[in-house]
RNA sequence: CGGGGCGUGGCGCAGUCCGGCUAGCGCGCUUGCUUUGGGAGCAAGAGGCCGUAGGUUCGAAUCCUAUCGCCCCGACCA
């Protein structure tokens, strides 16, 4: 460790984040600009995220498949808004095998086009629908400014692509997936996201409706953490996905797509992390508890390790993801700080005194330093640790929810909105016009995040122009 | 693309303005001894054609030219 302490979040949040990602051993910078290497610890976290989501998708009838990385450039021309949205950030392959290609190939930035193309071959009858396919993989977008996990040139995600017989069914699918995303964030990541509909200008390129989940980071900026889109027949028309319905009529399919990316790891870092490092929610943490044996000499080591090994085995049997830190080249104090940096939820410390007393020290990561330490009996430790993990999970969600609610302000006045979004979110009536949205963007340097599904019963007036407005929207600075 | 910064052992930097003799420092790494309940100490080691290519010069990390790359701040975006 070149530097021992992280910058505090208050000092320099961006620098805190940059250092933390590397020092928590989640990822490293790759030799190619804007690309990252996800290290084993970061990937283990990602695997826990993906396995939960994969399980939910399968429960709701989806299947996995793989489509190619390279997409003919002409495919992007077929949907007007889609090409406008993605053309600027495409990486394009111009040569193969040493010769210039007849048709240039795009490295996929998202797969609506190639999948649309394939769906047109596969969908002929209403009996072929719904088609519910998920692809797990990575995509490439030539972003101007990058940041590990939040916005990298290549990023990992799943993209669901579905085709349906009717508008109702497709919209149902969009909302079903958004609900899965919401549950994932609340129950697994302990991030209290807000569900809603994106404004017209914030919509995905080519979508008729974009819904999103939005999360508040520690610095009160918003992070779009997942999206679920309804395309109507836009892509079906562009790629000729047609089928004969029950009335023998040729009909365009209704399609959706949706995604959560490795960016969600960035969200977890920025929502739960503290000045000592990462804080991982127990349900997703690759290591839920670490055993740190403490000893001065070989005689002590023997006694301590006997107990430590037994406890390790007990906790492992109890189904806790556990790690033994028996390194003897670093001090105990170093280990404490090291595991705090890596965000491990629970630490079990066992020293000579504990061996005598039949106790261990339990340290909970959500309360760093000595404050989160208690001494508990060795007997029944498995259930004590399980209970503590559940408690930490609940506390993280509670803390994040209180923080979110304390920093969302009901604002009715434009001047006030401009102030509020400097350090929080505004929740205001909005007429949903493009003009007012642009004015907010230019004068407040904030964007509409989404229009939540849960709305007050009353109506109001637009925070910008004062016209009567039916719905309120969240306004915030966003990543 | 606009603005700023930077390329020197694995990492972080000093040295560059004002050229000079064995290119330093911190961290990490290796070995040994002492340590270990909140980021250990001492000692001995290993490790660098100074981003790349030209040029100026008796002599270049240092000056000149070109080139490549990275990071940060903006517009864009999951």
């Amino acid at each position: 460790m070149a530097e021992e302490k992280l910058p505090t979040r208050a000092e320099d949040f961006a620098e805190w984040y940059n250092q933390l990602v590397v020092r928590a051993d989640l990822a490293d910078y790759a030799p190619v600009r804007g690309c990252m290497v996800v290290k084993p610890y970061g990937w283990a976290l990602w695997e826990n995220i993906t396995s939960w989501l994969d399980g939910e998708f399968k429960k709701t009838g989806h299947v996995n498949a793989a489509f190619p990385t390279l997409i003919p450039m002409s495919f992007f021309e077929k949907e007007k808004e889609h090409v406008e949205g993605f053309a600027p950030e495409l990486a394009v392959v111009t040569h193969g095998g040493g010769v210039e290609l007849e048709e240039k190939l795009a490295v996929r930035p998202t797969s609506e086009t190639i999948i649309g193309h394939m769906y047109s071959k596969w969908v002929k009858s209403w009996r072929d629908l719904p088609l519910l396919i998920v692809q797990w993989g990575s995509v490439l977008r030539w972003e101007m400014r990058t940041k590990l996990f939040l916005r990298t040139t290549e990023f990992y995600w799943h993209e669901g692509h579905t085709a349906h017989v009717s508008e109702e069914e497709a919209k149902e699918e969009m909302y079903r997936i958004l609900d899965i995303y919401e549950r994932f964030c609340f129950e697994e990541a302990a991030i209290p996201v807000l569900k809603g509909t994106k404004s017209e200008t914030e919509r995905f390129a080519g979508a008729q409706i974009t819904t999103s989940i939005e999360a508040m980071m520690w610095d009160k900026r918003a992070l779009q953490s997942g999206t679920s889109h309804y395309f109507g027949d836009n892509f079906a028309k562009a790629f000729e996905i047609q089928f004969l319905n029950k009335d023998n009529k040729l009909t365009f399919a209704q399609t959706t797509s949706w995604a959560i990316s490795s960016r969600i790891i960035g969200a977890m870092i920025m929502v739960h992390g503290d000045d000592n490092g990462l804080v991982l929610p127990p349900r997703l943490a690759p290591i839920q508890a670490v055993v740190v044996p403490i000893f001065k000499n070989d005689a002590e080591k023997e006694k301590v390790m006997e107990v430590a090994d037994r406890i390790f085995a007990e906790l492992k049997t109890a189904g806790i993801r556990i790690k033994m830190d028996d390194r003897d080249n670093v001090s105990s104090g170093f280990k404490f700080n090291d595991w705090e940096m890596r965000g491990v939820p629970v630490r079990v410390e066992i020293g000579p005194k504990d061996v005598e007393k039949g106790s261990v020290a339990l340290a909970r990561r959500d309360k760093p330093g000595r404050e989160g330490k208690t001494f508990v009996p060795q007997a029944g430790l498995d259930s004590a640790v399980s209970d503590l993990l559940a408690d930490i999970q609940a506390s993280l969600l509670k803390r994040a929810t209180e923080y979110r609610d304390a920093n969302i302000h009901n604002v009715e006045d434009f001047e006030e909105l401009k102030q509020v979004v400097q350090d929080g979110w505004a929740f205001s009536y909005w007429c949903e016009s493009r003009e007012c949205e642009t004015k907010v963007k230019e004068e407040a340097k904030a964007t509409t995040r989404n229009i939540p599904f849960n709305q007050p019963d009353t109506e109001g007036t637009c925070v910008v122009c004062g016209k009567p407005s039916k719905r309120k929207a969240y306004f915030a600075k966003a990543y």
Side-chain angles (χ1 to χ4, degrees):
Chain A
M1 303 279 141
E3 304 139 276
E4 294 187 341
K5 288 231 185 269
L6 280 173
T8 65
R9 289 168 297 173
E11 270 165 17
D12 187 345
F13 191 67
E15 186 55 23
W16 169 87
Y17 179 90
N18 287 340
Q19 283 194 25
L20 176 52
V21 169
V22 172
R23 289 176 64 183
D25 213 25
L26 294 173
D28 202 352
Y29 291 95
V32 176
R33 192 203 98 89
C35 290
M36 66 173 166
V37 174
V38 182
K39 294 188 74 178
Y41 188 55
W43 195 258
L45 176 58
W46 179 235
E47 282 178 339
N48 289 340
I49 294 166
T50 58
S51 71
W52 189 93
L53 287 167
D54 185 54
E56 293 301 307
F57 298 149
K58 283 172 178 160
K59 276 187 217 165
T60 44
H62 300 80
V63 290
N64 290 331
F67 294 82
T69 301
L70 298 176
I71 301 176
M73 276 301 278
S74 58
F75 280 27
F76 286 90
E77 309 292 338
K78 294 186 182 185
E79 214 288 336
K80 188 172 142 284
E81 289 179 16
H82 196 65
V83 66
E84 283 170 9
F86 283 101
E89 54 191 45
L90 286 182
V92 181
V93 178
T94 57
H95 290 73
V99 293
E100 194 167 346
L101 300 174
E102 287 281 322
E103 176 171 10
K104 294 180 179 35
L105 302 170
V107 180
R108 63 181 175 211
T110 179
S111 303
E112 278 74 13
T113 58
I114 184 90
I115 291 176
H117 174 83
M118 296 314 295
Y119 279 13
S120 72
K121 292 172 70 172
W122 299 341
V123 174
K124 297 294 167 202
S125 151
W126 64 271
R127 292 176 213 276
D128 298 325
L129 297 172
L131 197 46
L132 308 171
I133 295 181
V134 182
Q135 162 162 268
W136 290 88
S138 70
V139 290
L140 215 74
R141 297 182 189 176
W142 217 261
E143 300 291 352
M144 300 298 172
R145 219 179 100 227
T146 60
K147 199 175 177 78
L148 294 183
F149 287 115
L150 283 191
R151 191 182 305 103
T152 45
T153 303
E154 181 180 19
F155 60 91
Y156 300 88
W157 72 350
H158 67 266
E159 42 179 327
H161 296 272
T162 68
H164 306 263
V165 292
S166 69
E167 178 179 337
E168 293 69 35
E169 202 185 295
K171 285 183 176 172
E172 225 171 80
E173 168 76 2
M174 172 181 72
Y175 291 122
R176 179 184 301 120
I177 297 300
L178 197 69
D179 285 345
I180 291 175
Y181 288 170
E182 181 188 39
R183 270 205 297 126
F184 169 79
C185 288
F186 274 83
E187 293 171 16
E188 301 294 307
I191 298 174
V193 291
L194 294 163
K195 282 193 300 188
T197 310
K198 283 287 194 182
S199 73
E200 193 187 329
T201 57
E202 297 280 331
R203 275 205 301 250
F204 179 83
Q208 290 189 6
I209 303 173
T210 286
T211 58
S212 75
I213 46 173
E214 303 281 335
M216 182 188 288
M217 304 296 102
W218 183 85
D219 63 350
K220 294 150 200 158
R221 285 172 74 176
L223 187 76
Q224 180 173 304
S225 305
T227 47
S228 184
H229 317 286
Y230 165 69
F231 294 133
D233 57 13
N234 287 8
F235 279 90
K237 278 183 172 157
F239 290 91
E240 294 174 318
I241 309 171
Q242 295 180 93
F243 63 96
L244 283 172
N245 68 14
K246 287 182 184 174
D247 303 323
N248 201 35
K249 268 193 180 157
L250 196 57
T251 312
F252 285 111
Q254 298 279 318
T255 64
T256 79
S257 86
W258 25 275
I260 278 185
S261 76
S262 43
R263 165 182 260 195
I264 197 76
I265 292 175
M268 284 165 44
I269 297 167
M270 290 195 292
V271 169
H272 301 307
D274 66 18
D275 291 343
N276 293 311
L278 194 59
V279 178
L280 291 176
R283 290 187 58 87
L284 295 173
I287 300 169
Q288 293 174 310
V290 61
V291 177
V292 180
I294 298 159
F295 45 80
K296 285 190 174 68
N297 49 47
D298 283 350
E300 281 186 3
K301 181 176 181 179
E302 200 178 322
K303 283 188 205 161
V304 168
M305 285 311 296
E306 196 187 315
V307 176
D309 285 338
R310 199 192 70 227
I311 283 168
F312 176 86
E314 277 174 21
L315 295 178
K316 199 179 176 82
T317 305
I320 292 160
R321 295 191 288 273
I322 182 104
K323 161 100 181 165
M324 169 70 80
D325 186 359
D326 55 4
R327 287 178 290 179
D328 55 10
N329 60 331
V330 292
S331 68
S332 308
F334 181 91
K335 291 179 185 179
F336 300 160
N337 287 290
D338 195 30
W339 293 113
E340 277 171 12
M341 182 68 78
R342 296 156 110 99
V344 173
V346 171
R347 195 171 63 245
V348 183
E349 304 168 14
I350 306 163
K353 292 175 208 162
D354 296 302
V355 174
E356 281 173 31
K357 294 184 201 161
S359 63
V360 302
L362 267 193
R364 54 185 298 168
R365 180 62 185 87
D366 58 340
K367 293 178 183 164
R370 290 200 179 83
E371 191 192 336
K373 237 185 242 196
T374 51
F375 287 87
V376 302
Q378 288 167 19
L381 190 63
D382 50 355
S383 62
V385 171
S386 297
D387 291 349
L388 184 56
L389 288 170
D391 188 46
I392 293 170
Q393 182 80 30
S395 302
L396 289 178
L397 179 61
K398 182 166 179 276
R399 187 162 78 186
T401 306
E402 286 168 358
Y403 192 78
R404 179 197 73 182
D405 293 341
N407 288 292
I408 296 178
H409 309 281
N410 290 295
V411 172
E412 291 172 14
D413 172 76
F414 188 49
E415 290 306 314
E416 194 186 345
L417 182 143
K418 283 198 250 181
Q419 288 301 314
V420 159
V421 297
Q422 298 312 309
D423 193 38
W425 292 17
F427 188 42
S428 304
Y429 280 101
W430 170 46
C431 66
E432 299 179 39
S433 77
R434 200 179 273 255
E435 292 71 34
C436 289
E437 196 177 14
T438 306
K439 199 172 166 194
V440 170
K441 202 165 183 174
E442 285 172 358
E443 295 184 29
K445 297 270 177 359
T447 52
T448 61
R449 300 319 306 155
N450 66 25
I451 303 164
F453 302 142
N454 293 329
Q455 289 284 339
D457 299 328
T458 51
E459 296 189 359
T461 54
C462 176
V463 67
V464 185
C465 67
K467 283 183 194 151
S469 304
K470 291 201 168 109
R471 301 193 293 178
K472 294 182 89 169
Y474 294 109
F475 296 85
K477 290 181 182 249
Y479 275 98

